[in-house]
Amino acid sequence: MLESNINQKTLTAVAMSGGVDSSAVAAMLVQRGFPVVGLTMQLWNQRRLPELDRATHGQRCCSLDDVYDAKRVAQHLGMPHYVVNYEQRFEETVVQPFVQEYLAGRTPIPCTHCNNNVKFDPLLVTSRQIGADRLATGHYARILHNEITGRYELLRAVDGAKDQTYFLFGLKQEQMSRTDFPLGELDKSAVREIARQAALPVADKPESQEICFVPSGNYVQFIEAYLGERGEALPEEEGDLVTTSGEVIGRHRGVHHYTVGQRKGLGIAAGRPLYVVELDHAANRVVVGDDAELRSESCEVRDINWISFAVLEAPVRATVKIRHRHEPAAATVEPLDAKCARVKFDVPQRAITPGQAAVFYSGDIVLGGGWIR
């Protein structure tokens, strides 16, 4: 039997990003009579790296305007609101790994690192310090308690188009026991309507799209500026562009300029479509090949956080998601040790990318997830 987390009217902290989703959560809880306090995280100093092109291609989260919007919503709802500064932790656990992963030829997911290391760790500690036993956020996902197993389970949101469980696989049992996702049963249109009915000043605010610390969406530009600020030089940039058979067909501009699956911007004319199939950081090579060579039937996953059970003891059938926009594919997940597994897909998958996450599902239930190596 599964039970919802929300069962009593205790003081609840709401992680308020300044967007419509978290603002609607605050309004919902206030309307239900919960005592609520808003917490907005200050994560990145927007005045840093002034040489970056700040012409954004879409709304991005966690900007100074977002902090102002969160405070406006809190004032509108008559609830206390605080800004908490996590800049140092954010830089150490999100920004620096982001840069290091790209330089190592991997493709990181900063939003997942932020969830794992900032939003559901220090924010829960801060919530308790101000007397709030629970934390509510605007994520589209569900947390239910399984009375049979005694474990908290993470489930997909009802609105599949908005589901965010791919970014939440790092949640631990203790964190889930104190976290609520009130939007998990709603679709986006219903959330917008809640915001409009509550006359929230952000009811029609656009969705956030860009990484909060990469203002233009140009991650290469950010990496170069960030290393320059720290007085660090980029590693040797140029290297060989080679085929899977080892033939040198050109030069690349630096491994960090490329991602697995990339086709455009290779700087070669081969007479046929070629894609990046591997980033060989050790040899400073970018390996390219045909679309068929981009497909793999297996991968290994490290640093797995199991949710539905403590450890995987035997192979299990699951659907596995290897990118945010990837349709989960049928596979067998075989344990290698307590934190590592091998995924064998029924059908080879395209562009399995080191540094991205692999998340394992059984229907709507998230079994766990880890990092592709």
Side-chain angles (χ1 to χ4, degrees):
M1 179 179 179
L2 296 175
E3 286 187 344
S4 172
N5 260 3
I6 303 176
N7 55 22
Q8 58 180 340
K9 290 185 178 180
T10 184
L11 178 62
T12 299
V14 180
M16 299 182 67
S17 68
V20 64
D21 293 328
S22 60
S23 299
V25 167
M28 290 166 65
L29 295 180
V30 168
Q31 291 166 2
R32 293 176 188 175
F34 283 77
V36 179
V37 57
L39 296 177
T40 297
M41 297 178 294
Q42 172 62 36
L43 300 177
W44 181 252
N45 183 351
Q46 307 291 336
R47 297 183 180 88
R48 288 179 65 175
L49 310 180
E51 67 272 32
L52 292 181
D53 174 14
R54 299 190 180 273
T56 60
H57 301 287
Q59 184 74 21
R60 60 192 173 98
C61 70
C62 307
S63 69
L64 293 175
D65 288 340
D66 290 325
V67 174
Y68 173 70
D69 284 342
K71 187 166 290 293
R72 284 201 301 157
V73 170
Q75 291 173 342
H76 175 77
L77 295 172
M79 55 183 280
H81 174 261
Y82 303 97
V83 178
V84 290
N85 191 319
Y86 294 148
E87 284 188 24
Q88 181 177 349
R89 186 181 183 99
F90 183 78
E91 183 164 2
E92 292 173 351
T93 64
V94 180
V95 178
Q96 290 176 7
F98 174 87
V99 173
Q100 293 161 1
E101 286 284 278
Y102 264 118
L103 293 180
R106 293 184 289 269
T107 305
I109 313 175
C111 293
T112 299
H113 286 291
C114 186
N115 284 332
N116 290 354
N117 301 312
V118 182
K119 289 182 181 176
F120 294 101
D121 195 358
L123 196 58
L124 277 164
V125 172
T126 299
S127 300
R128 182 162 281 169
Q129 288 172 340
I130 62 173
D133 291 329
R134 306 198 63 77
L135 174 69
T137 80
H139 288 96
Y140 285 82
R142 293 177 288 166
I143 294 176
L144 298 174
H145 186 254
N146 190 319
E147 289 187 324
I148 296 175
T149 65
R151 295 183 69 84
Y152 287 90
E153 297 186 342
L154 178 66
L155 286 79
R156 299 180 204 259
V158 170
D159 185 348
K162 296 297 297 178
D163 176 63
Q164 293 174 293
T165 52
Y166 179 75
F167 301 106
L168 296 168
F169 70 84
L171 284 173
K172 304 295 192 294
Q173 288 292 302
E174 196 278 333
Q175 295 170 336
M176 294 172 70
S177 73
R178 296 179 51 216
T179 300
D180 299 318
F181 295 143
L183 306 187
E185 303 284 345
L186 304 175
D187 62 29
K188 185 70 179 192
S189 61
V191 173
R192 288 278 187 194
E193 186 58 28
I194 289 170
R196 294 186 182 108
Q197 290 293 325
L200 299 183
V202 297
D204 296 307
K205 186 175 180 177
E207 296 281 288
S208 60
Q209 302 291 337
E210 304 295 343
I211 299 172
C212 61
F213 56 91
V214 185
S216 68
N218 187 329
Y219 67 86
V220 173
Q221 184 187 56
F222 173 82
I223 290 170
E224 294 173 348
Y226 182 76
L227 290 176
E229 180 193 61
R230 294 166 62 87
E232 300 176 17
L234 278 168
E236 186 66 31
E237 288 197 36
E238 288 193 359
D240 288 334
L241 195 72
V242 304
T243 65
T244 51
S245 63
E247 179 188 358
V248 178
I249 59 173
R251 300 284 287 174
H252 68 73
R253 297 172 293 149
V255 172
H256 67 287
H257 284 266
Y258 304 86
T259 59
V260 173
Q262 179 177 333
R263 176 182 174 185
K264 296 181 179 180
L266 299 183
I268 53 174
R272 69 186 193 278
L274 290 178
Y275 305 84
V276 175
V277 300
E278 182 187 351
L279 299 173
D280 186 347
H281 175 259
N284 192 28
R285 302 188 312 171
V286 173
V287 183
V288 299
D290 297 328
D291 182 77
E293 295 175 289
L294 194 57
R295 299 176 186 274
S296 304
E297 63 182 15
S298 67
C299 66
E300 290 188 3
V301 183
R302 61 175 172 83
D303 299 330
I304 297 173
N305 177 56
W306 296 109
I307 298 176
S308 294
F309 35 77
V311 65
L312 181 66
E313 297 178 345
V316 64
R317 292 290 295 171
T319 57
V320 181
K321 188 168 188 163
I322 57 172
R323 285 182 298 279
H324 174 42
R325 299 298 183 189
H326 176 247
E327 182 66 28
T332 299
V333 183
E334 302 175 346
L336 298 176
D337 58 39
K339 291 290 186 180
C340 298
R342 179 178 290 109
V343 178
K344 293 185 176 179
F345 292 100
D346 293 3
V347 177
Q349 298 298 299
R350 190 177 189 277
I352 301 177
T353 306
Q356 292 283 287
V359 180
F360 317 127
Y361 294 86
S362 176
D364 282 344
I365 298 173
V366 178
L367 302 178
W371 301 103
I372 298 170
R373 71 178 180 191

